[in-house]
Amino acid sequence: MTDFAATKAMFDLPKGVIYLDGNSLGPLPRAAGARVKDMMEQEWGQMLITGWNKAGWMGLPTGLGDRIGRLIGAAPGTVVTGDTLSIKVYQAVASALELRPDRKVVLSDSGNFPSDLYMVDGLLRSLGSDYELRVVAPEDVAAHITDDVAVLMLTEVDYRSGRIHDMKTLTELAHTNGTLTVWDLAHSAGAIPVDLSGCNADFAVGCTYKYLNGGPGAPAFIYVAPHLADRARPALSGWLGHETPFAFDLEYRPGGGVERMRVGTPPIIQMTALSAAMDIWDMAEMSDVRAKSIDLTELFIARVEATCPDLQLASPRDPAQRGSQVSFRFAEGYAVMQALIAHGVIGDFRAPEIMRFGFTPLYIDAQDVERAVDILADVMRDRVWDAPEYMVRQRVT
Ligand SMILES: *Cc1c(COP(=O)(O)O)cnc(C)c1O
């Protein structure tokens, strides 16, 4: 059993704040500050460039990949970290397309995160006008997996509503049609159990600054199924994905396995912070995290619906269909969220009217949920949000 009191104690959470936004940016692991300081002073400071070998910096992208792999059903040696999620989306889709040269269509859905769609749009433009990004409603995806679709690119958990796509069924359907899959796990990794190998997923990508708590700017990760890893050609063919980077060959030859998805110099400071976060994940079992997450979201929904009649549930009611977040709709949701933040409950807002709350069992418990709903109920009942200072739109919502 995961000891959630122990994991909670390992985060540095500001007093008087209930943090329901770990789905956007996880909080600071207590050990991260000292770990990074030590890396900077003892490794960077003292070892200088020899740190790449002596301190094992060069192995961090795969070492961290393996630790993330445990949470997403990926075997050791199939996940590598680096770059940002948007870049990894591009890389995965480009590699998948190259494996299906006879087809020109990428299928995705309108619930997907815009950056994923933008990246594919940009990729397809550079490939030529015969390529097409086909975007359909989330519930219509299965019906649109036709035999001209090269790649099915989906985000498993919808960033706004928390609705979960059925990875196993859709991947099977895609394979029956000769289509490769790219799954974005941005709101899955550390949120719900994922079984990439059990689902036969081809490619998967995700970020580490949301549920995994790696910190702002933490690297992304990419998974390539073992049977494809030596065939998939990385479109972003940087020197550190080369078979022998330090031979400085003029010709690109991809390295073996998932390491070919490395691009350039890894962000070691950021990866050091992520390693402190992964120490906490090493104490957790995803099945325990999922069970507690469902308890927390069920409690939140029941209490909000009992006390805030003006808020409309925007997430699936069935917990099996829902990730680790709950969204409510309210026309003045932006102002409500600003008022909530001013009163110590941090969630976020997604246009046009979604108030989003993330539930992260590593450091959120039932008491936090109850207190958060009490504050939300006060804000709604007394129309606390209806004040000019809560209407001002900030750059990041
Ligand atoms: C958060 C998120 C991103 C963000 O991409 P970055 O390159 O890390 O900024 C992309 N896609 C999805 C589905 C996300 O949830």
Side-chain angles (χ1 to χ4, degrees):
M1 271 303 278
T2 307
D3 181 350
F4 288 112
T7 58
K8 184 168 188 165
M10 294 181 79
F11 287 95
D12 195 357
L13 296 158
K15 286 216 176 357
V17 168
I18 302 168
Y19 193 57
L20 303 182
D21 212 357
N23 51 306
S24 250
L25 175 69
L28 172 68
R30 276 188 201 283
R35 184 81 56 90
V36 168
K37 184 169 184 283
D38 195 59
M39 176 266 146
M40 290 176 101
E41 293 177 356
Q42 303 306 317
E43 298 180 7
W44 182 15
Q46 297 305 309
M47 297 177 189
L48 298 162
I49 199 168
T50 67
W52 288 108
N53 289 320
K54 272 194 204 153
W57 294 341
M58 210 35 111
L60 274 179
T62 46
L64 287 165
D66 287 347
R67 297 174 78 182
I68 294 165
R70 185 182 74 86
L71 305 177
I72 56 175
T78 59
V79 178
V80 67
T81 52
D83 313 300
T84 71
L85 176 50
S86 301
I87 287 172
K88 284 332 205 189
V89 166
Y90 185 101
Q91 208 181 18
V93 174
S95 295
L97 276 173
E98 218 178 301
L99 291 165
R100 285 284 174 278
D102 51 325
R103 299 183 181 189
K104 311 282 181 201
V105 176
V106 176
L107 177 65
S108 191
D109 76 59
S110 55
N112 207 343
F113 192 80
S115 194
D116 296 34
L117 300 175
Y118 302 161
M119 293 306 287
V120 172
D121 180 61
L123 166 66
L124 298 190
R125 276 171 200 280
S126 65
L127 289 178
S129 56
D130 48 342
Y131 281 84
E132 180 195 345
L133 171 58
R134 201 170 283 165
V135 179
V136 302
E139 57 278 15
D140 296 339
V141 166
H144 283 82
I145 304 176
T146 46
D147 61 12
D148 57 343
V149 176
V151 180
L152 173 64
M153 174 192 70
L154 294 173
T155 296
E156 186 187 20
V157 177
D158 186 293
Y159 74 106
R160 277 185 292 215
S161 67
R163 184 265 310 121
I164 303 179
H165 268 310
D166 184 339
M167 182 187 288
K168 194 167 176 57
T169 304
L170 288 172
T171 301
E172 261 171 33
L173 197 55
H175 289 169
T176 310
N177 282 270
T179 299
L180 288 166
T181 55
V182 175
W183 287 98
D184 189 327
L185 306 179
H187 297 276
S188 309
I192 60 171
V194 177
D195 186 7
L196 289 176
S197 10
C199 292
N200 280 319
D202 301 299
F203 294 84
V205 294
C207 55
T208 62
Y209 53 81
K210 291 174 178 163
Y211 289 92
L212 296 181
N213 313 309
F221 63 84
I222 184 166
Y223 163 87
V224 185
H227 72 282
L228 295 176
D230 287 325
R231 286 203 286 137
R233 274 190 67 87
L236 298 172
S237 33
W239 72 305
L240 289 185
H242 193 277
E243 188 179 29
T244 52
F246 285 87
F248 297 104
D249 273 337
L250 291 186
E251 193 190 325
Y252 181 76
R253 280 194 319 279
V258 78
E259 282 215 65
R260 63 179 53 193
M261 294 298 167
R262 293 174 68 148
V263 181
T265 305
I268 300 303
I269 298 172
Q270 205 65 75
M271 287 186 171
T272 303
L274 174 58
S275 76
M278 294 313 297
D279 288 351
I280 308 178
W281 278 109
D282 288 348
M283 299 162 60
E285 285 304 327
M286 278 314 299
S287 51
D288 297 336
V289 170
R290 178 61 170 162
K292 186 172 171 192
S293 155
I294 289 176
D295 288 349
L296 296 176
T297 55
E298 290 284 273
L299 175 66
F300 184 74
I301 292 171
R303 295 238 168 174
V304 171
E305 291 193 326
T307 55
C308 307
D310 293 337
L311 302 187
Q312 248 190 351
L313 184 65
S315 296
R317 190 166 290 282
D318 174 5
Q321 306 285 322
R322 190 171 72 220
S324 204
Q325 64 177 73
V326 173
S327 300
F328 279 95
R329 243 183 263 286
F330 183 59
E332 297 295 337
Y334 180 80
V336 173
M337 189 52 77
Q338 294 307 304
L340 271 180
I341 293 170
H343 290 81
V345 178
I346 302 182
D348 62 21
F349 175 78
R350 288 294 173 261
E353 52 174 15
I354 297 271
M355 295 160 61
R356 193 170 66 155
F357 303 90
F359 296 86
T360 46
L362 291 190
Y363 53 88
I364 291 294
D365 56 31
Q367 275 179 322
D368 295 323
V369 171
E370 287 167 4
R371 274 194 293 140
V373 178
D374 288 347
I375 294 169
L376 173 60
D378 287 348
V379 164
M380 293 303 295
R381 190 194 53 233
D382 303 337
R383 291 178 67 88
V384 175
W385 54 268
D386 195 2
E389 69 262 37
Y390 300 137
M391 308 284 173
V392 183
R393 294 273 168 143
Q394 311 220 42
R395 184 162 178 183
V396 174
T397 63

